[in-house]
Amino acid sequence: MKKSDQPRRATLADIAKHAGVSRSLASLAIRGEGAVRPETRERIVAAAAELNYQPNMHARSLASADAAYLGVVVGQIENGLQAEIAKTASLVAREQGYSVLLSIDADTDTDAENAIRTLLAHRVSGILLIGAPYEKKTIARVAEWIPVVYVGRLLKVVNVDSVTTDDVTGGMMAVEHLVSLGHRRIAHIDGGASPGAERRRDGYRAAMQKHGLEREIRILDGAYTIDAGAEAARRILDEAAPRPTAVFACNDMTAIGLINECMKSGISIPGGLSVVGYDDVTLAGTETLSLTTIHQSARDLATAGVAAMIERLNAPDAPVSKILVPPRLVPRRSTRLASVVSAA
């Protein structure tokens, strides 16, 4: 591409015109200086983001002793793991001398971008993205505005630091556990486009193929919700025999929905169906549920995420890191030997 063919970079004058302010006021807001009203500063920073302006705001904020802020954006605060990661990341960041600004329930890309723009207006130095945005192009665009670390998803084709559980290994662990109990008809409830779902599905497939169970591979559409688990259960129960003797659910909430629906229909767990979840949320370990699951360490994920952010801020041009945190199988009472599962 010829230099003359390259798109013109946005200038402060462009930002000022777009935001309806003077160039000097735009400059003050972008640098985080001066007595700029908060709503005006937010409008100016949003205009800079929309025009893909590349300011030196981050370097300036890092050089300022009173601007040690990190932003944390959470996709679904009702997701126990995401909430725990956010809580732990805030504690770890504070131990490292950073104040934390938290934005919750950014469960659509539009909500996530709005949250990020608000955090930019508050002069954060970097942002931890926990479970949102979903679209890779949105994540890449955000990374052009400010240093980001995505926690909860391996971003193989996006040039952004990421920290996640090794979900392929986790998916394989779930199947290996069920196979060790004698199960062969093992279904998987998929998590769709949710963070980690594709790799958990890959782990399921790989383990089934490893044990010569290619013909038994059964993947049901789903999501990381109780409702999705209940719907998957209804589909399984409506089928003619032979039904699966075991199910690996994409996450614990999905597993809970599956279990609830099965028990409403008179199918006991694990007497009529063995179930493995993923995440190891607090509810999974209760005496009532006792869900066999794949444990993700919120502390390890949060600590690695904050460390990756600090490294990025200290070395902006360093190679991008893709950190995988090991998962762990936690066997409980929701799984049992296939030989004692009721015929379905």
Side-chain angles (χ1 to χ4, degrees):
M1 179 185 290
K2 297 179 181 178
K3 186 175 181 179
S4 59
D5 293 333
Q6 295 177 352
R8 185 177 68 84
R9 294 173 64 89
T11 66
L12 271 175
D14 297 326
I15 305 306
K17 182 178 179 181
H18 194 74
V21 299
S22 68
R23 186 183 182 283
S24 60
L25 187 60
S27 178
L28 286 173
I30 292 295
R31 298 201 310 271
E33 300 173 359
V36 182
R37 296 175 63 181
E39 60 270 25
T40 303
R41 187 188 304 279
E42 182 173 345
R43 189 169 78 250
I44 292 168
V45 174
E50 290 172 12
L51 296 177
N52 198 23
Y53 177 64
Q54 302 295 315
N56 290 324
M57 179 171 59
H58 314 314
R60 293 177 188 275
S61 67
L62 283 173
S64 174
D66 64 349
Y69 287 93
L70 291 182
V72 175
V73 175
V74 184
Q76 295 178 323
I77 198 64
E78 69 272 16
N79 180 305
L81 180 69
Q82 291 187 16
E84 189 62 27
I85 292 171
K87 177 182 176 181
T88 307
S90 297
L91 294 174
V92 173
R94 290 189 183 102
E95 290 171 358
Q96 298 298 319
Y98 287 86
S99 296
V100 173
L101 299 178
L102 179 66
S103 182
I104 64 174
D105 286 335
D107 59 355
T108 69
D109 277 20
T110 299
D111 289 341
E113 285 199 47
N114 289 337
I116 291 161
R117 286 171 175 157
T118 299
L119 291 173
L120 283 171
H122 286 84
R123 300 169 57 203
V124 295
S125 301
I127 298 178
L128 292 179
L129 304 175
I130 303 175
Y134 291 102
E135 293 292 333
K136 294 174 182 177
K137 63 182 180 182
T138 306
I139 299 168
R141 182 166 62 251
V142 170
E144 294 177 350
W145 306 342
I146 189 168
V148 301
V149 174
Y150 199 107
V151 181
R153 180 177 177 186
L154 179 64
L155 299 171
K156 294 182 290 185
V157 297
V158 181
N159 198 35
V160 172
D161 297 308
S162 63
V163 177
T164 189
T165 300
D166 186 347
D167 289 312
V168 172
T169 295
M172 294 185 71
M173 283 179 171
V175 174
E176 292 284 355
H177 171 68
L178 292 168
V179 169
S180 74
L181 295 175
H183 294 279
R184 295 180 61 81
R185 299 199 306 274
I186 304 168
H188 174 54
I189 304 176
D190 184 34
S194 300
E198 178 182 1
R199 292 176 61 78
R200 295 172 199 182
R201 180 171 64 247
D202 289 346
Y204 163 79
R205 285 185 180 277
M208 294 290 282
Q209 291 166 354
K210 173 185 173 182
H211 291 282
L213 301 175
E214 294 92 339
R215 293 189 176 183
E216 302 294 343
I217 289 175
R218 173 79 190 285
I219 298 174
L220 296 91
D221 292 340
Y224 288 177
T225 65
I226 288 177
D227 288 346
E231 175 58 30
R234 288 189 287 269
R235 292 200 298 272
I236 291 172
L237 296 174
D238 285 344
E239 295 174 351
R243 299 185 188 124
T245 63
V247 173
F248 163 41
C250 56
N251 86 340
D252 289 346
M253 294 299 101
T254 309
I256 290 169
L258 170 77
I259 291 171
N260 286 343
E261 192 67 23
C262 284
M263 295 184 72
K264 283 165 52 178
S265 300
I267 305 297
S268 67
I269 307 296
L273 187 72
S274 284
V275 179
V276 178
Y278 203 108
D279 285 346
D280 198 18
V281 298
T282 301
L283 188 60
T286 60
E287 183 66 20
T288 302
L289 186 60
S290 191
L291 175 66
T292 296
T293 189
I294 303 299
H295 176 79
Q296 297 197 75
S297 172
R299 173 160 293 278
D300 289 350
L301 289 166
T303 301
V306 173
M309 174 56 70
I310 293 174
E311 289 179 14
R312 175 59 53 201
L313 295 175
N314 289 333
D317 297 324
V320 167
S321 61
K322 308 290 184 182
I323 300 170
L324 292 178
V325 175
R328 175 169 55 88
L329 174 73
V330 181
R332 296 192 180 103
R333 294 199 309 273
S334 68
T335 52
R336 70 191 300 181
L337 292 170
S339 59
V340 292
V341 172
S342 301

